[in-house]
Amino acid sequence: MGQSTTAQLQRADSLYAKHQYTQAFTIYEQLLTQQKVYTPQMLLKMAHVQEGLQNYTQSMYYLQLYYSKHPSRSILRKMEEVGLQQHLQGYAYTDWDFFKTQFHKYYDNILELLLIGAVIFLTIMVRNWVKKKTIPKQTQGTFLVYLAFIFFYANFLTLGQQGLILNPNVPIMTAPSAGAGLVTTAGVGHRVNIVGEQDIWYRIEWKDQTAYIRKNNLLLLPQPLSVQKLF
């Protein structure tokens, strides 16, 4: 971390401690968006500032940024609490949500181990083939099943994308068309699961049913955080 970045962070923390929240937030945001660096506490402070300004979409966004790298039940409960207070959909806390995030945290490590296992398995089979040893069909079948599982793991076993509704009075439709039936009109801050997309529309889950929302009405939430941790 450069001296100038350290100085900016210290200045922002000093402003925050003096309750000069908006000035502190401006510096934090610059560090995050322009310099692509952060500290965990910085993200929590940014969420707190936005919650105080009643910008709940942005507050939830920074909490999600924090949670994507530092999953904890306390953050899930905090998001659920704010969601309940503001009557927002999509923030119900479950142990399954926590498990999925913990699993995603070690996703790359597990995939690496699976690939190493495939290489070892293949090496043994090739060595036996070179030595003209018979490779049982059961072993060949097991290897193919193992490769199929790796393919499934790498391509389909994900947490899925989520988004926050950005604008007030957003129409949720039954089909990807402005002329389709109206499911409901949703306000700022609701969190939805995205299950697909079509042109300018996202296909989402809304109260256990499939619906559609225009892409420009959603702020996509991160999965891993694509910035550098400072401390």
Side-chain angles (χ1 to χ4, degrees):
M1 177 177 63
Q3 289 184 347
S4 117
T5 302
T6 304
Q8 283 181 283
L9 181 62
Q10 289 174 344
R11 172 163 170 72
D13 287 341
S14 175
L15 289 168
Y16 186 92
K18 295 174 182 176
H19 307 293
Q20 297 178 23
Y21 297 127
T22 54
Q23 295 94 322
F25 180 84
T26 300
I27 299 174
Y28 288 145
E29 188 176 36
Q30 182 182 17
L31 288 169
L32 183 66
T33 60
Q34 296 181 18
Q35 301 186 38
K36 304 295 184 184
V37 293
Y38 78 103
T39 68
Q41 287 304 313
M42 183 183 100
L43 296 175
L44 295 179
K45 289 173 182 176
M46 293 175 79
H48 177 257
V49 172
Q50 291 302 304
E51 183 181 353
L53 295 172
Q54 298 185 344
N55 295 332
Y56 297 108
T57 298
Q58 289 298 321
S59 177
M60 293 295 198
Y61 180 76
Y62 294 122
L63 286 175
Q64 187 73 33
L65 281 176
Y66 178 92
Y67 184 75
S68 67
K69 278 296 185 183
H70 308 279
S72 69
R73 287 186 171 87
S74 62
I75 295 298
L76 281 177
R77 292 193 184 102
K78 172 62 177 176
M79 289 191 285
E80 182 181 44
E81 177 187 333
V82 175
L84 288 172
Q85 289 174 352
Q86 302 305 317
H87 307 289
L88 300 175
Q89 295 289 330
Y91 294 100
Y93 161 74
T94 67
D95 287 332
W96 175 241
D97 292 325
F98 181 71
F99 169 77
K100 286 193 298 182
T101 310
Q102 289 285 25
F103 170 78
H104 190 264
K105 182 178 178 181
Y106 299 104
Y107 177 89
D108 290 340
N109 303 89
I110 296 172
L111 180 58
E112 184 178 349
L113 289 174
L114 289 172
L115 291 172
I116 290 172
V119 170
I120 293 172
F121 205 148
L122 181 61
T123 301
I124 293 171
M125 290 179 64
V126 169
R127 187 180 63 182
N128 288 340
W129 179 77
V130 169
K131 291 181 178 181
K132 298 183 178 179
K133 291 183 178 180
T134 302
I135 302 173
K137 289 188 176 180
Q138 183 179 2
T139 301
Q140 297 177 35
T142 301
F143 183 62
L144 290 175
V145 170
Y146 186 74
L147 290 179
F149 175 76
I150 292 176
F151 178 82
F152 173 79
Y153 183 94
N155 291 278
F156 301 105
L157 200 58
T158 64
L159 286 177
Q161 182 68 63
Q162 292 182 313
L164 298 177
I165 294 180
L166 276 173
N167 304 309
N169 303 316
V170 172
I172 309 290
M173 314 302 289
T174 58
S177 167
L182 182 69
V183 175
T184 189
T185 300
V188 174
H190 295 289
R191 185 171 67 181
V192 297
N193 293 323
I194 300 170
V195 295
E197 58 183 292
Q198 184 173 332
D199 298 325
I200 61 170
W201 299 86
Y202 282 123
R203 186 166 70 253
I204 63 171
E205 293 176 351
W206 180 264
K207 295 184 179 179
D208 299 323
Q209 71 178 98
T210 299
Y212 292 82
I213 186 172
R214 284 183 180 268
K215 289 181 177 179
N216 60 3
N217 286 318
L218 274 188
L219 173 65
L220 298 183
L221 290 172
Q223 289 184 344
L225 185 56
S226 57
V227 293
Q228 177 186 358
K229 184 178 176 182
L230 293 180
F231 303 118

